[in-house]
Amino acid sequence: MHASPPLPVRRFPRDGGVDVVPYVLPIHVPEDAYEMTVADWLQLHEED
């Protein structure tokens, strides 16, 4: 049985470890969304 090759990733060293970013990232963010918060981007708003 042949193992699948590992998916390409980027590694960013951090204190105490490393951040691993899969090849499917970064996610494209359009310029008009630059001023949005994460809550706005993910539509995470509390309902009144």
Side-chain angles (χ1 to χ4, degrees):
M1 178 184 250
H2 296 286
S4 297
L7 295 174
V9 297
R10 293 278 316 254
R11 292 176 178 86
F12 298 93
R14 291 180 56 135
D15 185 31
V18 65
D19 287 339
V20 177
V21 180
Y23 76 101
V24 294
L25 295 175
I27 297 170
H28 174 72
V29 178
E31 286 184 30
D32 59 346
Y34 286 178
E35 299 299 318
M36 296 176 80
T37 66
V38 172
D40 291 338
W41 179 260
L42 298 177
Q43 300 176 358
L44 301 175
H45 300 287
E46 293 184 29
E47 297 191 27
D48 296 325

